[in-house]
Amino acid sequence: MAANAEPVSPQEFAEKIRGGRTSLGIEFGSTRIKAVLIDDEYRTIASGDYQWASHLVDGLWSYDLDEVWKGLQTAYAKMANDVFNAYGERLTRIGHIGFSAMMHGYLAFDAEGNLLVPFRTWQNTNTHEAHLKLSDLFQYNIPERWSVAHLYQAVLNKEEHVSKVAFFTTLAGYVHWKLTGKKVLGVGDASGMFPIDPVTKTYEAEFIRKFDALPQIEAQPWKIEDMLPTPLVAGTPAGELTEEGAKLLDVDGYLQPGIVLAPPEGDAGTGMVATNSVRVRTGNVSAGTSIFAMVVLEKKLARLHPEVDLVTTPAGDLAGMSHANNFTSDLNAWVGLFGDFAKAIDQPISTGALYGTLFRAAISDEADANAGGLLNYPFRSGEFLAGLEEGRPLFARSPEAHMNLANFMRAQLFSAFSPVKIGMDVMTKDEEVKIDSLVGHGGIFTTPKVAQKILAAAFNTPIKVMSTAAEGGAWGMAVLADYLWHTPWPLADYLDQRVFKDAQSTTEEPDPTDVEGFENFFARFQSGLAIEKSAVRNIELESK
């Protein structure tokens, strides 16, 4: 695979680029849009990115669609310039392309394709009433983030735009639609819009019938089945890049239309692919602005659990997911503060060295197993798993707590993993879900051992980190695009026997002392949630 293959000369890469033996994955993450071009041996040829952030619009988290296109074009242009500067080739053809993005949310359009309300992202937790009513109706967890929850909440709120909705989709589905004209979605991303039947690989027909029979829905001029994008399993051609789409993607005009696209997927699916976790009883923890822990299930769960989302792999197999809205935002803010201090004393430090130094402190001899009694809540936005409609980042300690840098950073990392542990415990302890392997994935695992060791303590299970741990979802989406050439193989076999055939990895076993320390911290974390709830009541969401 890419990380372990023999070095390739620039001339060989140039030949692959000219021959279209490449795949491009572009992922819209919460803080970064990233484009990754790989060759047919899964090596990264070139990349480009664009930084962005959500913002509040009328109290709801959103991104401007103009910035969606600005970010896409910027990331693509950087990647294309990378190709030209390194190999002397203008990127006119690409083997296959795939788009992925943060899952869920609500992008609703009228019959003319006009956006009806600003994009409502997965971060919003204003859909609690819809979550409760739909979960009870289906006896199947419908999380607050899901697209159908956003739609139904808008119906319950009697929002003016509802009767005009002709089509709604996710961010990945929106971009794909504009570039190909196809209203489709990868089955994994579709499973975050409306429940998927793992047998038929399409929407649950009985749930569609129940939803349509709701009085508030019967009164609408539409049926939900007519407004949802068509779900497609991985390996299904999902349309071609149109002439207009090529110009939207490459403003310099070199890229030619006609390229076949893969089904657009969600970040959960690309995380599963990037960690080789699509086979039953495998799982992964994908950590970024949000974090989710997923396990591919052998069977449906016995009971309804609000803490566990049921989504699918890109191949359509059922997976249980514990999803927390908050992960690195608060941690990054604290690291930034330490960076500011370094600059203030005229000792600036690189970002990598800063994170590495602080992270390593968390597992040093100066750190107490339970973080010395320190307590941290990383909630920038609401968190369903913790019963929070809004979030307020919060650090607290008792007067006798052992306050030092090591314990402070340990508390930061412990708290970041605590919300996702709530749902994971439901699967492993309440439902006795079996896991053969669990793989950590995301930039936080770039610093060797630290996050891996703490996650092993949080879940009390061995954690593997592969050589592709920091590749991210864009690389995983590029792999899904490449899979269009290999569809005679089941997706799990393709990943095992081609993509990850020679993958290198490290595994961190749980340390009993760390496990006990994390459980102590986690108990205090849960009992202290009243502090966080008080902060939500007493600290304004937006500064004035």
Side-chain angles (χ1 to χ4, degrees):
M1 66 168 291
N4 307 309
E6 291 297 320
V8 176
S9 69
Q11 292 79 10
E12 289 177 274
F13 272 139
E15 184 179 334
K16 288 173 182 280
I17 292 163
R18 286 193 298 272
R21 292 160 58 195
T22 57
S23 296
L24 174 64
I26 300 180
E27 181 155 283
F28 292 78
S30 301
T31 60
R32 182 172 65 157
I33 302 169
K34 187 171 184 181
V36 171
L37 185 72
I38 65 172
D39 72 354
D40 51 1
E41 296 294 330
Y42 315 105
R43 290 169 288 225
T44 296
I45 295 174
S47 64
D49 66 357
Y50 175 84
Q51 303 292 324
W52 69 342
S54 59
H55 57 275
L56 288 167
V57 178
D58 298 327
L60 297 176
W61 293 105
S62 184
Y63 296 86
D64 292 328
L65 293 197
D66 286 345
E67 193 173 14
V68 168
W69 297 109
K70 178 184 176 182
L72 173 62
Q73 291 161 359
T74 300
Y76 179 87
K78 286 182 178 179
M79 180 276 300
N81 287 335
D82 198 358
V83 169
F84 182 72
N85 292 333
Y87 314 109
E89 296 290 330
R90 291 295 184 190
L91 204 55
T92 61
R93 57 185 299 199
I94 297 170
H96 295 302
I97 299 176
F99 294 95
S100 58
M102 53 191 120
M103 290 178 67
H104 320 301
Y106 182 68
L107 277 159
F109 302 89
D110 65 16
E112 285 72 47
N114 301 306
L115 184 69
L116 292 170
V117 290
F119 173 31
R120 297 173 181 178
T121 79
W122 57 268
Q123 294 169 295
N124 293 298
T125 54
N126 63 307
T127 55
H128 190 65
E129 182 183 4
H131 148 71
L132 291 176
K133 289 184 174 180
L134 292 178
S135 297
D136 182 63
L137 176 69
F138 300 148
Q139 283 301 293
Y140 187 104
N141 186 30
I142 304 297
E144 295 172 335
R145 304 177 309 281
W146 280 25
S147 305
V148 68
H150 283 276
L151 173 66
Y152 189 48
Q153 191 66 52
V155 171
L156 295 174
N157 293 345
K158 299 180 179 179
E159 294 190 34
E160 184 272 337
H161 81 274
V162 166
S163 63
K164 303 174 185 175
V165 179
F167 173 59
F168 72 120
T169 189
T170 65
L171 180 54
Y174 163 70
V175 172
H176 184 96
W177 168 40
K178 290 299 180 182
L179 295 184
T180 66
K182 302 295 184 182
K183 295 178 179 178
V184 300
L185 208 55
V187 66
D189 203 8
S191 69
M193 291 195 71
F194 195 92
I196 290 287
D197 182 338
V199 176
T200 64
K201 316 296 186 188
T202 190
Y203 302 111
E204 285 274 9
E206 180 62 15
F207 294 173
I208 291 281
R209 186 193 64 76
K210 288 183 176 181
F211 186 82
D212 283 341
L214 288 168
Q216 304 96 327
I217 301 303
E218 281 190 322
Q220 300 302 324
W222 42 256
K223 297 286 188 182
I224 191 171
E225 57 266 41
D226 298 327
M227 304 194 303
L228 286 162
T230 302
L232 301 174
V233 296
T236 305
E240 295 183 357
L241 186 68
T242 63
E243 187 172 344
E244 180 184 16
K247 292 176 181 177
L248 260 178
L249 181 56
D250 178 13
V251 294
D252 291 325
Y254 294 108
L255 189 64
Q256 299 302 302
I259 299 166
V260 176
L261 270 68
E265 263 298 349
D267 49 4
T270 59
M272 283 188 269
V273 169
T275 54
N276 192 18
S277 303
V278 302
R279 197 178 293 279
V280 169
R281 290 178 61 146
T282 65
N284 77 96
V285 179
S286 187
T289 303
S290 65
I291 180 173
F292 47 79
M294 303 190 64
V295 180
V296 185
L297 303 175
E298 297 178 271
K299 58 184 179 181
K300 290 184 177 181
L301 300 181
R303 298 177 300 282
L304 166 66
H305 296 283
E307 303 89 350
V308 180
D309 302 1
L310 292 171
V311 295
T312 77
T313 72
D317 296 314
L318 201 63
M321 175 168 69
S322 173
H323 180 284
N325 287 349
N326 299 269
F327 189 63
T328 58
S329 293
D330 187 43
L331 179 62
N332 290 341
W334 282 109
V335 172
L337 185 68
F338 286 111
D340 290 343
F341 175 73
K343 292 177 185 176
I345 62 171
D346 200 24
Q347 295 290 328
I349 184 173
S350 71
T351 300
L354 178 63
Y355 274 89
T357 300
L358 293 172
F359 278 24
R360 285 188 291 271
I363 61 170
S364 68
D365 292 341
E366 285 72 38
D368 296 309
N370 68 352
L374 307 184
L375 195 55
N376 190 73
Y377 291 101
F379 303 117
R380 181 174 181 262
S381 61
E383 189 63 75
F384 173 79
L385 288 170
L388 300 169
E389 292 190 10
E390 295 177 357
R392 304 292 187 275
L394 181 67
F395 174 76
R397 63 188 177 99
S398 66
E400 296 300 315
H402 185 196
M403 178 70 170
N404 64 9
L405 178 64
N407 281 332
F408 179 81
M409 289 308 302
R410 194 171 179 87
Q412 289 293 323
L413 290 166
F414 272 12
S415 72
F417 285 118
S418 286
V420 75
K421 176 176 167 64
I422 296 171
M424 197 65 170
D425 280 357
V426 168
M427 284 192 279
T428 58
K429 296 178 181 179
D430 296 353
E431 287 279 349
E432 298 182 343
V433 169
K434 304 302 181 187
I435 306 173
D436 290 336
S437 65
L438 198 60
V439 181
H441 177 242
I444 197 168
F445 297 102
T446 304
T447 301
K449 192 171 184 177
V450 180
Q452 191 177 358
K453 182 177 176 67
I454 287 176
L455 183 57
F459 291 167
N460 193 20
T461 192
I463 302 296
K464 179 191 295 184
V465 172
M466 295 192 293
S467 53
T468 55
E471 289 282 6
W475 183 84
M477 190 64 238
V479 170
L480 280 174
D482 174 89
Y483 180 54
L484 289 170
W485 277 309
H486 304 284
T487 48
W489 293 16
L491 180 60
D493 291 346
Y494 160 76
L495 294 176
D496 277 343
Q497 298 174 36
R498 278 194 60 89
V499 182
F500 295 98
K501 181 181 178 182
D502 301 311
Q504 295 179 349
S505 65
T506 62
T507 300
E508 192 71 29
E509 299 288 336
D511 181 296
T513 301
D514 288 340
V515 172
E516 183 180 354
F518 195 102
E519 290 295 340
N520 178 279
F521 176 91
F522 187 62
R524 287 186 287 108
F525 181 92
Q526 290 183 297
S527 64
L529 278 170
I531 309 169
E532 173 69 18
K533 293 175 180 178
S534 177
V536 170
R537 290 193 300 270
N538 294 288
I539 300 175
E540 292 185 356
L541 177 62
E542 299 181 73
S543 58
K544 295 180 179 178

